[in-house]
Amino acid sequence: MTKGIKIATIGGGSSYTPELVEGFIKRYSELPVRELWLVDVEAGREKLEIVGQLAKRMIEKSGLPIEVHLTLDRKAALKDADFVTTQFRVGLLDARAKDERIPMKYGVLGQETNGPGGLFKGLRTIPVILDICHDMEELCPNAWLINFTNPAGMVTEAVLRYSNINKVVGLCNVPIGMEMGIAKLLDVEHSRVRIDFAGLNHMVYGLDVYVDGVSVKDEVINLLTDPNNSSFVKNIQGQGWEPSFIKALDVLTCPYHMYYYKTREMLEKDLKNFENGETRAEVVQKLEKDLFELYKDPNLDIKPPQLEKRGGAYYSDAAVRLITSIYNDKRDIQPVNTRNNGAIASLPDDSAVEVSCVITKEGPKPISVGDLPVAVRGLVQQIKSFERVAAEAAVTGDYDKAVLALTINPLVASDKLAKQIVDEMLEAHKEHLPQFFKVVEA
Amino acid sequence: MTKGIKIATIGGGSSYTPELVEGFIKRYSELPVRELWLVDVEAGREKLEIVGQLAKRMIEKSGLPIEVHLTLDRKAALKDADFVTTQFRVGLLDARAKDERIPMKYGVLGQETNGPGGLFKGLRTIPVILDICHDMEELCPNAWLINFTNPAGMVTEAVLRYSNINKVVGLCNVPIGMEMGIAKLLDVEHSRVRIDFAGLNHMVYGLDVYVDGVSVKDEVINLLTDPNNSSFVKNIQGQGWEPSFIKALDVLTCPYHMYYYKTREMLEKDLKNFENGETRAEVVQKLEKDLFELYKDPNLDIKPPQLEKRGGAYYSDAAVRLITSIYNDKRDIQPVNTRNNGAIASLPDDSAVEVSCVITKEGPKPISVGDLPVAVRGLVQQIKSFERVAAEAAVTGDYDKAVLALTINPLVASDKLAKQIVDEMLEAHKEHLPQFFKVVEA
Amino acid sequence: MTKGIKIATIGGGSSYTPELVEGFIKRYSELPVRELWLVDVEAGREKLEIVGQLAKRMIEKSGLPIEVHLTLDRKAALKDADFVTTQFRVGLLDARAKDERIPMKYGVLGQETNGPGGLFKGLRTIPVILDICHDMEELCPNAWLINFTNPAGMVTEAVLRYSNINKVVGLCNVPIGMEMGIAKLLDVEHSRVRIDFAGLNHMVYGLDVYVDGVSVKDEVINLLTDPNNSSFVKNIQGQGWEPSFIKALDVLTCPYHMYYYKTREMLEKDLKNFENGETRAEVVQKLEKDLFELYKDPNLDIKPPQLEKRGGAYYSDAAVRLITSIYNDKRDIQPVNTRNNGAIASLPDDSAVEVSCVITKEGPKPISVGDLPVAVRGLVQQIKSFERVAAEAAVTGDYDKAVLALTINPLVASDKLAKQIVDEMLEAHKEHLPQFFKVVEA
Amino acid sequence: MTKGIKIATIGGGSSYTPELVEGFIKRYSELPVRELWLVDVEAGREKLEIVGQLAKRMIEKSGLPIEVHLTLDRKAALKDADFVTTQFRVGLLDARAKDERIPMKYGVLGQETNGPGGLFKGLRTIPVILDICHDMEELCPNAWLINFTNPAGMVTEAVLRYSNINKVVGLCNVPIGMEMGIAKLLDVEHSRVRIDFAGLNHMVYGLDVYVDGVSVKDEVINLLTDPNNSSFVKNIQGQGWEPSFIKALDVLTCPYHMYYYKTREMLEKDLKNFENGETRAEVVQKLEKDLFELYKDPNLDIKPPQLEKRGGAYYSDAAVRLITSIYNDKRDIQPVNTRNNGAIASLPDDSAVEVSCVITKEGPKPISVGDLPVAVRGLVQQIKSFERVAAEAAVTGDYDKAVLALTINPLVASDKLAKQIVDEMLEAHKEHLPQFFKVVEA
Ligand SMILES: [Mn+2]
Ligand SMILES: [Mn+2]
Ligand SMILES: [Mn+2]
Ligand SMILES: [Mn+2]
C-alpha cells in the first residue's frame, strides 16, 4: 500500500456509487485513495458511464488526487488492488422482481435475503463471487474483499467455505440503522449509543444497548413497549411489536425479524402489494430510474440527497468506515459479517456470523458473546442451516439441495411448495444459473 | 426392590392401561411385579373403576401373584414405588379439543405436542408433574419416573430443569413405529432393523438404519423416493415426501415432521376437518367411549384388539420394555428422552433429547451422535427453544413468556397471532392454569 | 463375508499369537474363521515359523476347519481380509530397550506408550501403519483394522487423521484388567462388574463402577483407601495411592496413571532398575526367549499357561471378543479406542479416545460421558496434545515437532532435555526413522 | 460517580502504592479521583503509615484535589467506592518465604502462583477476597474489583464461582512486559506493538504479534531463535529456549512458562539458590526493606526510581490504565483476567481466562480466539484444573482437595510428595488457614 490505496468496486455502475465516492472524499485524510476502479459488466455499461462521470465530477470538485477508472475489464481493476468492494446484482433488478413475484404466486414471501428470493439471489451471485475470489488469489492476494452484495450472510459463508480468500468481510447497514433508531428513540446523539450485536446477517439481535457505556436496555425495552410511543416506534420499527413478545424476548430485534415473527402479517401486506402490482423491485426500479436521470446532469457534482431514500443509505458509508479502520488499525468496534471463531456458541467456528468486532489491520476480531438467549437460538440456527444448504446448492448446482434449502426455510416450510417454487424459478433465472443446467446440456 | 416390584401408574384410568397390564403379564418372568397401583383423580373415578376391574380380570386370568390397587390417593400409590409411570391428561379430552380448535380459529395448526396445543398441554401438565416429583422425593426417592404424558419432550425438560428428580425417562411410540414401518418397507422382521435415532420428542430423525447391523440407509432412501412405492410409503408415512427433499435431507423423518415440512398442506387438511367438525380430539373421544364400553364387559379378560387403533399402540409396551431393561440391567439399545450429556452437539448438556440409549440399571446412557446434519440442526434447535421457553412459562406463570413461546413456534411465527391465541386459550383453560391467574386473584 | 471370515494378523510372529488362536478356537461357533493369515517381516521369519507351527497344532487339535497361512507377503494376507489385526513391533524388543534406556540416561522415564519411549515407538510405527492402511484401501476396503500395537492411542489418532481408513479400533487390555481387579477387590464374579470408562489409551479413568448394574463407586473408593486393604490394593494397583488423593479424585485410575501421579517414585524405581541393568525390555526379552523355547516343543498344542505372565494377557482375547461383537452386531459394551464424536467434552470430535462403546456391526458407538471431572481434564488434554504433535511429527518427519512433542510431555517438561533425548534417539533408531533423514540424504 | 471517583486500595501499605499514586496523578485529567483510601490490617499499620505519608506528599506536590485516607477500617474504605483494588499479601513476605522454602525441601519448585506456593497463597488469600466481596455487595455493589493479588488467576476464578460480585478483573504485568520485550527486540516503540494474548494468568501465550497492525510473528520467532540474538533474548526471556521448541510451538511464551517447559533447569537453579539461602522471598524482603527506608524520607515526594526493580513494575500502572478505560468507556484492547464466555474454546464459559479484551464501561469483553494451538491446550487445561480444585479447597477447607490440587500440579506430579508438602505447609501457615482447622477445634 506504499503508493496510495487502490480500490476496485465490482458493480461500479450501481446507484450507490456516489455515496461510496462521497465517503472516500470525506475520509481522504485518513484513507488516501489513489485509484478508484469502477468495474461493471457489458449489460451495465450505460449505468457505469453515467455514474462514473458523476464520480469524476465529485472528485474533481474535491480537488483530491484520486484517479477514477471506468472499465469492463475486471482483471485490470483487481490487479494489485488493496480493497475490493462488491455491490453487483446478477440479472439486475429484473431478476429481483422475479425473486419477489414468483414465490408470491405460491402464497409465500419472496424476501430477497433470507427467504426464497434470497435463495435465488444467492444461487446467481455465489458463483460470480467465487470467480472474483479466484481472480483475487492471483491478482491481489493480499487485498480485502468487502462484500455488500446480498444475501450478504450466505455470500460470506460461501467465500469462507468454498474459496481460498480469508480476508473477507460482509457488510450491512441494518446494525447502524438500529443504533440510529435507538438514538432517536432516546433522543441522544448516535455517537453516544453502542449496541452489542450478535446473530446473522438480516437476523441480528441487539443483546445489550449502552449510552455513554452504561446499559440502558431495560429503558429501551420499556420505551419500545410503551403504548404512548407506538407511533414513533412504528416509524423506526415498522409495524411495531406486541409488548409481551418484546418484553419476554428481552433483546432488540432488527427490521428483517418481522418476516419471521410476523410472517402472516407481512405476507398479507406483500400479497396486497403484489395484487396491486407493486413489489419492492418495482418501487426500486422506479427510484433507480429517477436517480440515474439525476446523475446524468452534467452540473451535478455531489451525492444527490434523493439517494438516501433508496433504501441502502449508510451502506457505502459503512464500507468506507470499515476500510478506514482496517487501513489505520483503528481497533474500533463495528458490527460486520465474519468468521465466527467461537464468538457465538452453538454456531460452527468456520461459519459467517454478524457480530460486533474490533476492527484491526488484520481484519475484524469478533467479541465473544457466549450463548445466545434461549429464545433466539432456534431461529438463528435455522437461518444458518438455510444459508449453508443454499450455499452448497449454489456451488454444486444440486437441484435436490435447492429444494431442501427452501423446504427448511421458515417462510416456506413445505416440500411441495419448495419444489414448485424451485422449478419455476430455475426456469425463470436459467440464464444466470448455468450450474443447474449442466446435465441438460450434456 | 427385595419384595417384588411396586409400580405406580398415575392416570391409571386411561384407556391405555390394558396394554400396560398385558405388558407386565407377558414379561413377568423377567419383571416380577408384586403391586400395581392405578391412581387417578376424582374426575376420572368412573374410568378408573372400569379399567381397573378389567386389569384385575386380566391378572386373574394370568394366574400371576400381582396385586392391583385402585386409588385416588396418589401418596399411598407413590409410597415406596420402584417405578412411577405417568399417562394422565389434565382436563381430559375436552381440553385437547380446545387445544386443537382454538388455534384453528386463527388459521394455525393446533398440534398437541410441539405446536400451540402442545404449549397449553404443557402449561397444564408441568405443574402437576413437578408436584408428583415433589412427592416422589419424599415417598420414593429411588424410583424411576417413566413419563409418557405429552408433550413428553417439554415435560422431560421441565423435570430435568425444575425438579430434584434425576431418574426420569420420557417415552414415545414414534421411534418404534418408524422402525416397524421401515421393516415393512424392506419386508424383513422388525427385530432385524435398528435405527440410530437423534433429535427431540416428535422431532426425531433416523440418522442411519441397519438390517442385521449393516447400513441400508441408501436403499431405504431410494425406496422412500421411488414413485413405484408411493402408495405404500404414504401408508407408513402419511402424505409422502417430495423425493428431492428426502434425498437431499438424507435422514429418516418421523410422522410429526409433516407439521414442519408440510405446514401448508397439514393446515389445509386440518382446516377442512375443522370445518367439518372433526378434530383429532373428537375422533379420539369417540374411540375412547367405544373402548370403555368394551372394557365394561365382565367377560372381557384380555386387552381388546380394538385398542391398537387408538393411536398410542406400543406405548405401554415400550414402557414395560424400558422398565424391564432398567430392572435387569439389560444394556440393550432403546430410543428414549433423557438428559443430553453431550450426545447431540449444539444442544445443552442438561436438556432433554430423544436419542438411542443403552438402557442400564442406572438408566439410559445416550450414544454420542456428534453434530446433527446441517439441514436439520435449525428446526431441532427451534423446537428446543420453544420447549424451554414454554417450560419456563409453565413454571412461572409468566404471560409474556407464554406469548414468546408461541411467537417463536414455527407453526405460529407471529407475535400478534400468538397473543390472540394465548389470550383465548388462557381463558378457556383457566381452571387448569392457576399459575397464570395468581395476580388477578391478588 | 460369505465364505467364512478371513483374518490377517500383521506381526503374526508375536509371542501373543497363541492367545489369539485360542480365542478364535473358543469362539468359533459365533465367529466362523475360515482363514487366519499370520504375516511377518523378514527379520521375524524364524519366530513366525515357530509360533505358526504351534498355531497349526492348536487348530488341528481343535478339529476346526480353520486354515492357517504363514507368509512374509503382506499384500497376499490383506487381500479380501475381513479383519486385520496389528500387533507388530518395528525394531523388535531391541528398539524397546533403547526407548527405555536412552531417556533414563537423562534422568527421565522412558515409558513406552505416553512417554518418551512412546514417542519413538510412535515415530517408528505410524508410517508402517499408514502404509498398511494404504494397502487396505486397495486390497480390503471393507475390512476392520483392529490395532493393538502400542502406543495404541497415538496410532489410532494417526489412522483417523492421516489415512482414509475409518474402520479402525484401538485395543488395550488395561480396562479389562481394571474390571478384573475391582471384581477381585469386591470378591464378585468379573461378569457382574461394569465400569464406565473414559479418557485416552493408558490414560483411562473409571468414572463409575457397577455390580449387577448398581453403582458401588463409593464402596470401591472406600476399599481402595482403607489401610486394612493396602497390601491387596498394592497387588492390583501397584504401589497404592494416597487415600486423600483418591478420595478427592473420586474416579478410578489405571495402572499407567502412576507415571503421572507418582512421577518421582516411578522414576526412582526405574532408575534403580536401570542401574542394575534391568529395564522392562530386558525382562520381556528374557520372557519371550523362554516362551519361544516352549513354543518349539512339537508336542505343545495349547496356549502355554506361562504366556499369561507376559504382561499382555487378555489382549488377544479382548481382540477376539471385539471381532465377535462386530461380526455378530452384538451391541454389548466394550471399552475401546475410537473416534470421539462428542462423547467426551473438550476433546475434538475427530480425535481418538478410549471410552465405553456399544459394539455394533458398524463398529463401536461411544456412550456420551459429557465433561470429564475437573481434576482429570488437564492431564487427559495434555496427553492428547502430546499424541497429536507426536503423530504429526511421525507423518512429516519434522524434527522440531518431535522436540515439541517431548517438551510438552509431562514426563519430560524441559525443552533442553527434550532436544537431547530426541537427538540421541533419532540416531539410535535411524534405521527405522527414514522420514527424519530425508533431508540429510538429499 | 457524580462527585468524583472514590478508590479503595486494600493492602494500601504495599510498597507498590507509590506507583499507583503516580498513575492516578498522571491520568487525572481523564480519571478525576476525589478520594483514595489506603486500607491495611493491624500488622501492616507501620508500612501503611510510611507509604501513606509518601502518597500524601506526592499528591500535595501535584496540586490535585485528591484526598488520601489511611485506615484500618475496611468497611469505611469500601463504602460507596467506585473501584476497589486489592494488592494485599496475607501473612506478608514471611509467608511467601515458607511457600517457597517448604516445597524446596521436597525437591519441588515453590513457584508462588501456579505451583505449590501458589496453592498456599491461594488458600490464604481466597477467603479474604470472598470476605471483601461480601462487604462490597453491601457497601459498594456497583464498584469494580480490580485484583492484582496473586495467584490472580485462581483468585479471579474463585470470585467468579464463589461470590456474587460479577464486576471483577484480575490484572497482571506479564502481558505488558511481553509486549515491551518484543518492542525492544524489534527496536520499535512499544505503542506500535500489539499481541493477541490468550491463556491463563502466568500461563499466557502470544498467539500473534503485530507492528502497526501487521503480523510480524514469523519475524519475531526467527529473531527469538536466532543464535546471534541469544544474549539479548536471554535478557528479555530468561534462559532462552531451544530454537526447535519455539519454532514448532509457533506462539510466544511468557516468562512463567519456564517453570513448565524447563522444569528441571528451574528446579536446579532454585535448589542452588535455596542451598545458598537465597529464595526470591528473601531477595524481595531485602528490596522492600530498602524501599521503605527510602519512603520514610520526608523530602521524597515522587515514586523513587528504585521501585521499578521491585519486580512488579507496570502493575499499578496497568491498574490505573484499566480503571481509566472502564471509567471512560475507552474500548481499547488490554489483556486481563475475566470470565471466558466462549472466547477460548475448551475452557468453561464461566472460568477466568487471561485474554485480550476490549475495555468498556461495562467491563472487559473478551475477543474470541477459538481453539488454542494443539500443543498448548494441554498445559492450559491442566493449570485450569489445578486452579479450580485449589479454589474449591480454599473455600471448603477440604484437606483431600488440597492434596489433589497439588498432585495434579505439573510441578509436583506425585500424590506422596503432595501429601507431605500439604501436611507441612498447613502446619506452617496454620494461623492463616482457619478453614482447614475447623474440625480440629470442634
Ligand atoms: Mn443488509
Ligand atoms: Mn409420542
Ligand atoms: Mn495397552
Ligand atoms: Mn502476575
Side-chain angles (χ1 to χ4, degrees), chain B residues 321-383:
Chain B
R321 193 163 64 114
L322 174 66
I323 292 171
T324 305
S325 288
I326 292 174
Y327 181 76
N328 293 294
D329 192 39
K330 277 216 172 169
R331 307 180 204 170
D332 54 347
I333 300 176
Q334 297 182 28
V336 297
N337 290 273
T338 188
R339 191 177 181 280
N340 182 29
N341 206 29
I344 301 179
S346 307
L347 291 175
D349 274 12
D350 51 359
S351 269
V353 294
E354 189 164 297
V355 65
S356 295
C357 292
V358 181
I359 309 298
T360 75
K361 197 165 197 115
E362 305 281 318
K365 310 228 169 186
I367 297 172
S368 193
V369 299
D371 273 315
L372 292 176
V374 170
V376 312
R377 237 177 262 176
L379 191 54
V380 166
Q381 195 76 241
Q382 201 173 25
I383 294 299

Side-chain angles (χ1 to χ4, degrees), chain A residues 191-194 196 208 210-215 327 329 331-333 340-345 349 358 360-362 365-371, chain D residues 191-194 196 208 210-215 327 329 331-333 340-345 349 358 360-362 365-371:
Chain A
S191 64
R192 294 173 58 197
V193 174
R194 188 174 65 79
D196 285 341
D208 208 340
Y210 310 95
V211 171
D212 301 333
V214 179
S215 174
Y327 181 76
D329 192 38
R331 306 179 203 173
D332 54 347
I333 301 176
N340 183 29
N341 205 27
I344 301 179
D349 274 12
V358 181
T360 75
K361 196 162 198 118
E362 305 282 317
K365 310 230 167 186
I367 297 173
S368 193
V369 300
D371 273 315
Chain D
S191 63
R192 294 174 57 198
V193 175
R194 186 173 66 78
D196 285 340
D208 208 339
Y210 310 94
V211 170
D212 301 332
V214 178
S215 176
Y327 181 75
D329 192 39
R331 308 180 202 172
D332 53 348
I333 301 177
N340 182 30
N341 206 28
I344 301 178
D349 274 13
V358 181
T360 74
K361 198 164 198 120
E362 306 281 318
K365 311 228 166 186
I367 296 173
S368 194
V369 300
D371 273 315

Side-chain angles (χ1 to χ4, degrees), chain B residues 191 194 196 208 210 212-215 329 331 333 340-343 349 358 360-362 365-371, chain C residues 191 194 196 210 212-215 329 331 333 340-343 349 358 360-362 365-371:
Chain B
S191 64
R194 186 174 66 78
D196 285 341
D208 208 340
Y210 310 95
D212 301 331
V214 179
S215 175
D329 192 39
R331 307 180 204 170
I333 300 176
N340 182 29
N341 206 29
D349 274 12
V358 181
T360 75
K361 197 165 197 115
E362 305 281 318
K365 310 228 169 186
I367 297 172
S368 193
V369 299
D371 273 315
Chain C
S191 63
R194 187 174 65 78
D196 285 341
Y210 310 95
D212 302 332
V214 178
S215 175
D329 192 38
R331 307 181 202 170
I333 300 176
N340 183 31
N341 206 27
D349 274 13
V358 180
T360 74
K361 197 164 199 118
E362 305 282 318
K365 310 228 168 185
I367 297 173
S368 192
V369 300
D371 273 316

Side-chain angles (χ1 to χ4, degrees), chain A residues 113 150 152 171-174 201-202 256 315:
Chain A
T113 50
N150 271 329
L171 210 60
C172 181
N173 65 346
V174 160
N201 182 241
H202 292 191
Y256 284 87
Y315 238 108

Side-chain angles (χ1 to χ4, degrees), chain D residues 59-76:
Chain D
I59 297 292
E60 194 173 14
K61 188 189 179 198
S62 75
L64 295 169
I66 302 176
E67 299 167 18
V68 176
H69 299 256
L70 312 184
T71 184
L72 303 186
D73 179 354
R74 195 171 78 192
K75 297 206 178 205

Side-chain angles (χ1 to χ4, degrees), chain C residues 113 150 152 171-174 201-202 256 315:
Chain C
T113 49
N150 271 328
L171 210 60
C172 181
N173 65 346
V174 161
N201 182 243
H202 293 191
Y256 285 89
Y315 238 108

Side-chain angles (χ1 to χ4, degrees), chain A residues 125-346:
Chain A
T125 304
I126 286 169
V128 178
I129 281 278
L130 295 180
D131 207 40
I132 293 170
C133 290
H134 199 256
D135 284 355
M136 286 177 67
E137 281 184 62
E138 186 195 331
L139 299 166
C140 53
N142 296 316
W144 279 95
L145 173 59
I146 314 290
N147 173 62
F148 33 111
T149 296
N150 271 329
M154 199 192 290
V155 166
T156 310
E157 184 81 20
V159 172
L160 289 173
R161 282 192 191 276
Y162 300 109
S163 89
N164 295 315
I165 295 298
N166 296 315
K167 295 172 112 175
V168 58
V169 190
L171 210 60
C172 181
N173 65 346
V174 160
I176 203 175
M178 287 167 71
E179 276 189 0
M180 291 169 76
I182 296 298
K184 222 180 240 175
L185 180 73
L186 293 168
D187 197 19
V188 300
E189 284 290 303
H190 176 201
S191 64
R192 294 173 58 197
V193 174
R194 188 174 65 79
I195 295 179
D196 285 341
F197 290 103
L200 307 178
N201 182 241
H202 292 191
M203 180 56 66
V204 73
Y205 295 87
L207 301 187
D208 208 340
V209 52
Y210 310 95
V211 171
D212 301 333
V214 179
S215 174
V216 293
K217 192 179 75 170
D218 293 349
E219 188 188 338
V220 167
I221 298 278
N222 283 340
L223 287 172
L224 288 173
T225 53
D226 181 348
N228 296 324
N229 273 314
S230 67
S231 66
F232 179 85
V233 168
K234 272 185 203 175
N235 215 24
I236 63 165
Q237 288 265 336
Q239 305 188 31
W241 296 109
E242 286 296 335
S244 286
F245 166 62
I246 288 297
K247 276 181 198 161
L249 192 69
D250 202 30
V251 293
L252 305 184
T253 55
C254 80
Y256 284 87
H257 280 120
M258 278 190 289
Y259 290 104
Y260 305 94
Y261 295 137
K262 283 185 182 301
T263 308
R264 177 83 61 92
E265 296 89 323
M266 293 301 280
L267 182 59
E268 282 166 2
K269 201 183 90 186
D270 276 24
L271 277 172
K272 216 167 119 190
N273 292 339
F274 174 66
E275 281 155 16
N276 300 338
E278 301 162 10
T279 64
R280 179 78 191 143
E282 272 105 19
V283 174
V284 169
Q285 272 170 321
K286 177 76 177 61
L287 279 168
E288 286 245 320
K289 201 158 164 279
D290 296 349
L291 279 172
F292 275 92
E293 283 309 309
L294 283 171
Y295 291 177
K296 282 179 189 164
D297 176 358
N299 297 316
L300 183 74
D301 57 6
I302 56 164
K303 183 189 77 177
Q306 292 87 334
L307 177 53
E308 300 210 356
K309 293 187 195 137
R310 163 70 180 81
Y314 314 114
Y315 238 108
S316 305
D317 196 64
V320 181
R321 194 164 64 114
L322 173 66
I323 292 171
T324 306
S325 289
I326 292 175
Y327 181 76
N328 293 293
D329 192 38
K330 276 215 173 172
R331 306 179 203 173
D332 54 347
I333 301 176
Q334 296 183 29
V336 297
N337 290 273
T338 189
R339 193 177 179 277
N340 183 29
N341 205 27
I344 301 179
S346 308

